[in-house]
Amino acid sequence: MESRSNAIAAGVFVIALSVGLVLVALWFTSENLDRTRYVVFSKMPVSGLRAKAAVRLRGVEVGKVASIVFDAQDPRVVLVNIDVDRSATLTHGTYGQLSYQGVTGLSFVELDDDGSDPQRLTTSADQPGRIELRPSLLDQIGGSGQNLLVDASLVAKRLNRLLSDENLSHLAGALRNAASAGEQIAVLAADLQPAARSLQSLETKSDATVVQLNLLLGDMRSVTAEFGRHLAALDEVGKGAQAVGAASRSLETAIVGDTLPRLSGAIDDFSRTSRNLDRVLRAVQEQPQSLLFGRRSPPPGPGEPGFAPPARAQ
């Protein structure tokens, strides 16, 4: 009786175990039936990615990583087999990126669509659809970090050459030359001020001379008109001698008493203006460099330091 009860218990256990295995198999089978296979290919490392890692489409989990293998045709290419829910729509514009979970270093596959080709991506167990794995932002930063270090090293080398002792010496010399040029410009400005005042005075006197010449021409026209009136009066009255005498006296008074002094003063002013202008032009002609470097000091005269008497002719 006891052996019979043990046999029944063993039979019940075997049946229960068989039912459990069938249920587990059905669960796995149903899960696989609801998903389809895709392949994500990558030419860069997939560090941190493991089997059973999550596959997300725009942040929504839609599958798992089935396996990670190398491509038999190109060992540089890594093939990541993923199982994705059939309800997820993947197109020819779908691409993948590696995203990282916090600070653990573990990564998962993040799928997204750039909209370049909305045609649905076909897949099957024999020929799974291929999805490109693109570098993420962190991968791009890591890839460009080396280039940044190379560029920084190059910049440092160029700065070292630029700030060499020889270049610093040249720079100091250039600064000294600039300071000396500034002083020479200040001296030149001081030397040109008298010449500028002389030119201004010359312009004023020239204007005054022109005004006096205009007055002189006006007086000459007045004299001519007066002389014409006297001639007309002479023709009308017939007193030739008296009219001629009056016209002569009027002409003499206009010319000697008024016109000639003005003409003489205008000529004197014009003569002084011409002499001043001649002195300025002669000084510039003799020393043209004075416009930039200032006028040279005159040679010392007798009794002054540095005076040397001229040599006598043999």
Side-chain angles (χ1 to χ4, degrees), residues 32 82 126 174 205 255 312 314:
N32 292 333
I82 60 174
D126 298 332
K205 292 180 179 180
I255 294 177
R312 297 181 178 179
Q314 298 294 333

Side-chain angles (χ1 to χ4, degrees), residues 300-304 306-312:
E304 295 181 352
F307 172 73
R312 297 181 178 179

Side-chain angles (χ1 to χ4, degrees), residues 32-97:
N32 292 333
L33 290 176
D34 292 337
R35 293 181 177 179
T36 184
R37 176 64 58 88
Y38 292 91
V39 174
V40 178
F41 64 95
S42 173
K43 295 182 179 180
M44 59 182 184
V46 290
S47 303
L49 188 62
R50 299 288 187 270
K52 301 300 180 180
V55 176
R56 296 178 182 177
L57 177 61
R58 298 178 184 175
V60 179
E61 186 171 345
V62 293
K64 298 288 183 180
V65 174
S67 61
I68 302 174
V69 296
F70 288 101
D71 191 353
Q73 299 178 357
D74 189 356
R76 296 175 301 174
V77 178
V78 178
L79 301 179
V80 180
N81 297 312
I82 60 174
D83 293 331
V84 180
D85 294 342
R86 295 182 181 274
S87 60
T89 302
L90 303 183
T91 67
H92 287 275
T94 302
Y95 64 93
Q97 288 181 325

Side-chain angles (χ1 to χ4, degrees), residues 164-180:
S164 62
D165 294 338
E166 182 179 0
N167 290 338
L168 289 177
S169 177
H170 291 330
L171 179 60
L175 293 177
R176 288 193 297 268
N177 293 335
S180 177

Side-chain angles (χ1 to χ4, degrees), residues 2-234:
E2 184 178 357
S3 60
R4 191 174 182 180
S5 62
N6 292 335
I8 294 173
V12 172
F13 175 77
V14 171
I15 293 173
L17 181 61
S18 299
V19 172
L21 291 175
V22 170
L23 291 176
V24 171
L26 290 176
W27 181 74
F28 279 111
T29 304
S30 62
E31 183 178 357
N32 292 333
L33 290 176
D34 292 337
R35 293 181 177 179
T36 184
R37 176 64 58 88
Y38 292 91
V39 174
V40 178
F41 64 95
S42 173
K43 295 182 179 180
M44 59 182 184
V46 290
S47 303
L49 188 62
R50 299 288 187 270
K52 301 300 180 180
V55 176
R56 296 178 182 177
L57 177 61
R58 298 178 184 175
V60 179
E61 186 171 345
V62 293
K64 298 288 183 180
V65 174
S67 61
I68 302 174
V69 296
F70 288 101
D71 191 353
Q73 299 178 357
D74 189 356
R76 296 175 301 174
V77 178
V78 178
L79 301 179
V80 180
N81 297 312
I82 60 174
D83 293 331
V84 180
D85 294 342
R86 295 182 181 274
S87 60
T89 302
L90 303 183
T91 67
H92 287 275
T94 302
Y95 64 93
Q97 288 181 325
L98 289 183
S99 297
Y100 298 91
Q101 299 177 351
V103 295
T104 60
L106 298 178
S107 58
F108 60 91
V109 178
E110 180 74 32
L111 300 179
D112 203 347
D113 197 332
D114 56 10
S116 59
D117 190 352
Q119 184 179 359
R120 187 181 182 90
L121 181 62
T122 59
T123 184
S124 64
D126 298 332
Q127 294 182 348
R130 297 174 66 89
I131 300 173
E132 180 186 6
L133 185 68
R134 299 179 183 179
S136 63
L137 179 60
L138 293 178
D139 295 331
Q140 294 176 2
I141 294 175
S144 61
Q146 185 175 1
N147 295 331
L148 291 176
L149 293 177
V150 173
D151 294 340
S153 177
L154 181 60
V155 170
K157 291 179 180 179
R158 290 182 177 178
L159 285 177
N160 289 333
R161 287 197 299 268
L162 179 63
L163 299 178
S164 62
D165 294 338
E166 182 179 0
N167 290 338
L168 289 177
S169 177
H170 291 330
L171 179 60
L175 293 177
R176 288 193 297 268
N177 293 335
S180 177
E183 295 176 357
Q184 292 180 0
I185 291 174
V187 174
L188 175 61
D191 292 339
L192 288 178
Q193 286 181 359
R197 288 193 293 268
S198 299
L199 291 176
Q200 185 177 4
S201 176
L202 177 61
E203 182 181 1
T204 304
K205 292 180 179 180
S206 299
D207 294 338
T209 302
V210 172
V211 173
Q212 292 182 0
L213 288 176
N214 290 331
L215 294 176
L216 175 61
L217 292 176
D219 293 339
M220 293 296 292
R221 285 194 294 268
S222 299
V223 170
T224 303
E226 184 69 21
F227 187 72
R229 286 195 297 271
H230 282 291
L231 289 178
L234 178 62

